[in-house]
Amino acid sequence: MSKAFYNTKIKELKKFGFNTNNRTYIIAEIGINHRGDVNIAKKLIESAARTGVDAVKFQTYLTEKRAPKNNQEIFKILKDLQLPFEAFKELKDYSKQCGVNFFSTPFDKESVEYLEKIETDLYKIASFDVVNHQLLEEVSKTGKPVIMSVGMSNLNEIENAYNILKKGTDSIAILHCISSYPTPEENSNLSNIYEIQKRFNCIVGQSDHTNDIKVPIYAAAAGAQILEKHFKIDENFECVDSPVSITEDQMKKLVNEIRNLEKIFGNENFEVKEIEKSIEIFK
C-alpha cells in the first residue's frame, strides 16, 4: 500500500499540467453525448464554453476493441456514437477557439497513438480501465498528465494503476467516483476523497454521476480540485448520458458556486488580513 501522505494542502494545478489559475479544474464531460455527429459536438463545446468550465472531455475509441463481443446491442450503440479519429483534431482546434481545454478518454492503444499525434495535453482513464494495465502503460509512456476515475475499484487496484502511471508522469489526478448512473446523492460516499488524500501523492477530485450540482460542491469543499460532470445543452437535448448530465444553466451555476467557494476558502497564510487592518491597533 502507498505511504500515508495525509497531505490535504491545496496544490497549484498549473504545476501538474492543468491549465487553470483557479483552485478547482472543472470539466464538462461531453463524452459520447454528441450522438456521433461532429457538428453537434461543436455545439456542445460552444455551450460548455459559455458556462466558464476549464475543459471539455470526449471519448476516443474503436468500437471493435471497446464493446463486448457477445453484446450486439452495446456494440451498435457505441458504433453509432463513434467519431472518426480525424474528428478529434477538428474538435481540439475548435475547443481552443472557444477558449476551453480539450482532452479525451482513450480506450485502446490506437486511440492513444492518435491523441498523441494531435498533441493532446492530457489524458483521462475511465473507471473501467483501472485494471487495464496495457492501456495504463500506453498512457504512462506519453509522459502527459493523467486523470483517473476509480469507480468500482479497491485500494490495491488503484495502487497498482497509480504505480504504472507514475513510471511516466508525476502529474496524476485520482477522481473519486461512484459508477452508478445516476447516483443517488446519499450514495456519493465523499469520505473516499479523504482516503485518497491520505494514501496517494496526487491531485484529488470527483467524477460525479448525480443529476444535480450539490454533491460536486460538497466534494470541492472536502478538497476535490478536479470536478467532472456529464454535460448536455438543455433538458430537451437527446443524448445517451442524459440521466447523469447537467444542462448549460446548471453547469453555469456550478461554476459560479465553485468560484465563490474558492473565494470563501481564501489562502492558507496566517497573517493580518486586509479586512482586519482597521482594528490591528488593538492587537
Side-chain angles (χ1 to χ4, degrees), residues 32-44:
I32 49 179
N33 278 352
H34 47 66
R35 308 200 291 265
D37 186 322
V38 70
N39 291 316
I40 293 175
K42 287 181 176 180
K43 290 179 181 177
L44 282 158

Side-chain angles (χ1 to χ4, degrees), residues 31 55 74 98 104 113 121 126-127 131 133 154 174 188 198 202 206 242-243 259:
I74 292 178
C98 292
S104 190
E113 290 173 347
D121 293 326
S127 291
V131 293
H133 292 182
N154 62 46
I174 296 178
S188 296
K198 289 178 184 178
C202 65
Q206 162 85 353
S242 185
R259 299 305 174 224

Side-chain angles (χ1 to χ4, degrees), residues 217-244:
I217 293 169
Y218 289 175
Q225 287 192 256
I226 294 179
L227 297 176
E228 179 184 75
K229 286 290 290 185
H230 287 256
F231 183 73
K232 58 187 178 182
I233 295 173
D234 55 39
E235 291 294 353
N236 295 320
F237 185 83
E238 295 181 7
C239 55
V240 66
D241 287 329
S242 185
V244 296

Side-chain angles (χ1 to χ4, degrees), residues 24-31 53-59 103-105 122-127 147-151 175-178 181 204-210 212-213 215-217 219-220 224-231 244-246 251 254 258:
T24 317
Y25 191 77
I26 304 174
I27 303 162
E29 159 69 87
I30 292 174
V53 297
D54 296 286
V56 292
K57 189 190 79 67
F58 289 85
Q59 296 179 15
F103 67 107
S104 190
T105 301
L122 61 148
Y123 287 92
K124 172 74 192 296
I125 299 294
S127 291
I147 301 172
M148 178 172 66
S149 288
V150 293
L175 306 192
H176 166 56
C177 174
I178 301 295
Y181 308 89
V204 179
Q206 162 85 353
S207 178
D208 186 67
H209 294 130
T210 63
D212 204 351
I213 65 172
V215 171
I217 293 169
Q225 287 192 256
I226 294 179
L227 297 176
E228 179 184 75
K229 286 290 290 185
H230 287 256
F231 183 73
V244 296
S245 298
I246 60 172
M251 186 68 85
L254 174 62
I258 294 300

Side-chain angles (χ1 to χ4, degrees), residues 117-132:
K117 184 178 177 182
I118 66 172
E119 300 180 336
T120 190
D121 293 326
L122 61 148
Y123 287 92
K124 172 74 192 296
I125 299 294
S127 291
F128 299 99
D129 283 323
V130 169
V131 293
N132 186 346

Side-chain angles (χ1 to χ4, degrees), residues 78-218:
L78 289 174
K79 192 68 174 177
D80 288 345
L81 299 174
Q82 179 183 321
L83 288 172
F85 279 173
E86 58 268 21
F88 292 99
K89 174 64 166 65
E90 189 176 349
L91 295 176
K92 178 176 183 282
D93 292 343
Y94 195 71
S95 298
K96 185 176 181 180
Q97 289 178 36
C98 292
V100 290
N101 302 150
F102 162 95
F103 67 107
S104 190
T105 301
F107 287 85
D108 48 73
K109 179 180 179 180
E110 291 82 357
S111 296
V112 175
E113 290 173 347
Y114 182 78
L115 290 169
E116 272 298 281
K117 184 178 177 182
I118 66 172
E119 300 180 336
T120 190
D121 293 326
L122 61 148
Y123 287 92
K124 172 74 192 296
I125 299 294
S127 291
F128 299 99
D129 283 323
V130 169
V131 293
N132 186 346
H133 292 182
Q134 183 178 359
L135 179 65
L136 293 170
E137 292 279 2
E138 290 299 324
V139 172
S140 178
K141 286 177 194 174
T142 71
K144 301 281 180 64
V146 184
I147 301 172
M148 178 172 66
S149 288
V150 293
M152 303 178 293
S153 303
N154 62 46
L155 284 169
N156 285 335
E157 291 168 340
I158 299 170
E159 169 90 9
N160 291 334
Y162 175 82
N163 288 334
I164 291 171
L165 295 175
K166 282 283 286 183
K167 294 177 186 177
T169 180
D170 288 322
S171 298
I172 299 172
I174 296 178
L175 306 192
H176 166 56
C177 174
I178 301 295
S179 297
S180 175
Y181 308 89
T183 303
E185 290 179 351
E186 63 271 19
N187 295 121
S188 296
N189 208 47
L190 292 184
S191 292
N192 280 8
I193 290 172
Y194 302 130
E195 193 64 22
I196 296 168
Q197 288 171 333
K198 289 178 184 178
R199 293 176 180 270
F200 300 97
N201 186 23
C202 65
I203 302 292
V204 179
Q206 162 85 353
S207 178
D208 186 67
H209 294 130
T210 63
N211 54 17
D212 204 351
I213 65 172
K214 184 199 301 182
V215 171
I217 293 169
Y218 289 175

